[in-house]
Amino acid sequence: MTEATVEHVDILIVGAGPVGLTLHLALATGGQQSLLLDRQRDSVVPGDLRRGAASPLGVLAAAQNDPRALALSQGTRQLLEQIGAWPKRAATPIETIHISQKDGFGLTLIDRNDYALPALGYVIRYRDLAAALTARLAADTIIAGAEILTLTTDDDGVEVTLRQDGAVRRLKTRLLVHAEGTPDDEPAVQVSDYAQHAVICEVTPNPGHAQRAWERFTPDGPLALLPLGGEFSVVFTLPPTKADSVMAMDDAAFTAALQRQFGRRMTFSKPGPRRRFPLALRLRKTLVKGHEVWIGNTAQTLHPVSGQGFNLGIRDAWQLAEALLSEGISPASLARYAASRQLDRRGSAFFTDRIVRTFSNDFAPLKLARGLGLLALDLCPPARHFVAKRMIWGARAWP
Ligand SMILES: Cc1cc2nc3c(=O)[nH]c(=O)nc-3n(C[C@H](O)[C@H](O)[C@H](O)COP(=O)(O)OP(=O)(O)OC[C@H]3O[C@@H](n4cnc5c(N)ncnc54)[C@H](O)[C@@H]3O)c2cc1C
């Protein structure tokens, strides 16, 4: 059997999730070609999402079946606009955020009017975001349904052997970007388990949501309701055994459980399909090694409590694109990239980790302190603005 010839590519991005896709498009906008590779096959996307699409590709099958919704910051919207991938029609603006704790005093309200912004953020289905990004791809820039067999590094780069449709291909790249999403347990990744699972689904609220997002802290974990079209996207965080039973409930029992956790300010009906995600903080110790770099969830996976994950991942993609476009592919540009990401990723991880660990318990003194904290946020605008700005702008709000 003859061996496959080696194909050469400057930058190979492994993982065509929203972070890998953003990097590819940001590089293309600056005139730098790259090749995407994903283990998922692409599949057909409904006509309305594909209208005006330049690419013959569908969205990857896994993305199409993902019922998750993401809260995106103003900063993320601006970056997506710059690469022509802001899915305006699919995005629901958040005008206010209501933060409270179950069975305890103290609440605060963050209002877009205090920041002279059209919205505090936007909610969008993961699949609609993936479709908007995929629609910008040029033909022949993605290898879908590919399984990586080997990775071999030498002085010039990384050689990748892969299998696609039964055929073996060999690629040689000067830079391999890892954007494969949440990593498994491995020594290169520091893991801190939250012993919580997020059960997600969509429900219809009555009365309507009025563009308000709710963040409700409970001893089981945070409950978030994000306005999405006429629905709420629910992130119902629970200890694993309670998540087992919530996943097994019929729709009526599930709606009642959600209602108990949320309270009586509104009622819910018509729950959609449910899916669960185990939650842990995963921080990769090193972002760059030789000719490889890690971005997005594979670099850091956070608890979804304050909706930071993709907002952080897109900043990884953007800063890496900027470094490569201005300084080229070199050890120095990669080292500078890695150093430039530390404050943002560690600050965001610390911020979400503290929120989860402080709020997810029933310890009476902490409950009192939480109530006082929420009251202080409400009565003290500078403290409220500190929290709000991190939600609206992410990294740009750090000192
Ligand atoms: C319940 C929940 C709610 C969330 N809410 C928010 C929110 O409100 N706001 C927010 O900003 N973030 C949120 N996040 C986080 C957000 O979903 C992630 O940060 C984002 O999806 C990361 O994108 P990614 O491209 O890095 O990884 P992924 O979206 O996981 O994509 C990875 C891609 O890599 C591919 N891949 C994996 N392994 C391989 C391999 N070996 N070879 C080839 N391809 C591979 C996969 O098929 C996939 O296409 C939430 C997460 C969860 C779980």
Side-chain angles (χ1 to χ4, degrees):
M1 195 173 74
T2 52
E3 225 183 51
T5 52
V6 178
E7 305 162 53
H8 289 269
V9 36
D10 275 345
I11 301 173
L12 179 66
I13 304 168
V14 181
V19 172
L21 286 165
T22 301
L23 173 65
H24 172 85
L25 294 175
L27 288 169
T29 305
Q32 170 66 59
Q33 286 192 344
S34 62
L35 185 63
L36 282 158
L37 183 154
D38 203 287
R39 64 182 174 193
Q40 299 291 329
R41 302 217 142 266
D42 59 316
S43 61
V44 178
V45 177
D48 61 339
L49 291 177
R50 302 275 300 122
R51 204 172 295 143
S55 149
L57 290 159
V59 72
L60 297 171
Q64 206 184 344
N65 296 327
D66 196 316
R68 186 177 0 172
L70 307 180
L72 304 186
S73 69
Q74 283 292 343
T76 295
R77 175 192 167 150
Q78 289 175 356
L79 298 182
L80 290 171
E81 279 174 344
Q82 286 187 54
I83 51 172
W86 172 242
K88 189 175 173 202
R89 280 187 306 143
T92 304
I94 301 174
E95 297 193 353
T96 53
I97 305 175
H98 186 287
I99 307 174
S100 63
Q101 61 171 336
K102 188 177 180 231
D103 303 329
F105 71 99
L107 62 85
T108 193
L109 190 68
I110 298 175
D111 191 324
R112 74 177 173 92
N113 291 316
D114 294 338
Y115 305 93
L117 286 170
L120 293 168
Y122 301 85
V123 185
I124 184 162
R125 289 185 180 89
Y126 180 95
R127 60 175 180 265
D128 290 349
L129 173 65
L133 289 160
T134 311
R136 305 293 302 170
L137 292 184
D140 300 332
T141 53
I142 182 166
I143 304 174
E147 180 198 358
I148 292 183
L149 303 174
T150 60
L151 290 181
T152 318
T153 306
D154 63 24
D155 290 347
D156 306 325
V158 184
E159 187 173 319
V160 179
T161 316
L162 61 95
R163 187 184 292 117
Q164 187 194 26
D165 296 330
V168 172
R169 283 173 75 172
R170 288 168 67 203
L171 301 173
K172 181 78 191 268
T173 183
R174 292 174 59 208
L175 179 65
L176 184 81
V177 182
H178 292 274
E180 300 102 331
T182 303
D184 294 329
D185 290 356
E186 48 179 283
V189 179
Q190 212 177 311
V191 182
S192 168
D193 197 343
Y194 288 116
Q196 291 179 357
H197 286 197
V199 174
I200 57 159
C201 86
E202 292 179 17
V203 294
T204 307
N206 184 20
H209 55 58
Q211 267 79 43
R212 173 168 294 181
W214 298 78
E215 187 79 69
R216 192 150 171 75
F217 293 101
T218 84
D220 285 336
L223 169 66
L225 302 179
L226 303 171
L228 181 65
E231 316 285 283
F232 267 131
S233 170
V234 177
V235 184
F236 192 171
T237 314
L238 296 156
T241 47
K242 287 193 182 172
D244 289 344
S245 53
V246 160
M247 286 299 290
M249 287 172 178
D250 63 22
D251 284 356
F254 173 76
T255 309
L258 178 62
Q259 199 76 64
R260 275 194 301 279
Q261 201 77 331
F262 178 76
R264 300 257 134 235
R265 286 168 192 261
M266 66 181 95
T267 57
F268 307 115
S269 60
K270 299 189 209 140
R274 275 162 251 161
R275 185 166 157 198
R276 77 196 294 177
F277 294 84
L279 303 177
L281 171 64
R282 290 171 190 273
L283 278 179
R284 192 170 287 279
K285 295 172 192 161
T286 310
L287 295 182
V288 171
K289 201 174 99 199
H291 305 281
E292 296 172 72
V293 53
W294 283 261
I295 63 170
N297 262 38
T298 190
Q300 63 275 318
T301 300
L302 312 187
H303 193 290
V305 64
S306 58
Q308 301 279 324
F310 175 66
N311 293 306
L312 188 57
I314 195 174
R315 297 197 291 271
D316 287 352
W318 205 263
Q319 273 181 243
L320 181 58
E322 280 184 346
L324 296 173
L325 290 171
S326 62
E327 300 175 52
I329 304 169
S330 72
S333 66
L334 294 177
R336 258 193 293 280
Y337 162 75
S340 74
R341 293 306 298 144
Q342 293 310 332
L343 178 63
D344 191 15
R345 66 193 293 262
R346 294 204 177 269
S348 303
F350 180 77
F351 180 65
T352 50
D353 189 66
R354 283 301 92 203
I355 293 177
V356 179
R357 297 197 189 281
T358 310
F359 279 89
S360 303
N361 61 68
D362 213 5
F363 183 50
L366 263 186
K367 202 167 174 175
L368 177 68
R370 283 194 304 258
L372 292 172
L374 286 171
L375 204 61
L377 278 186
D378 203 48
L379 297 177
C380 173
R384 191 167 65 248
H385 297 339
F386 177 88
V387 173
K389 282 182 181 158
R390 264 132 210 92
M391 289 177 154
I392 299 167
W393 296 113
R396 273 185 271 168
W398 295 106

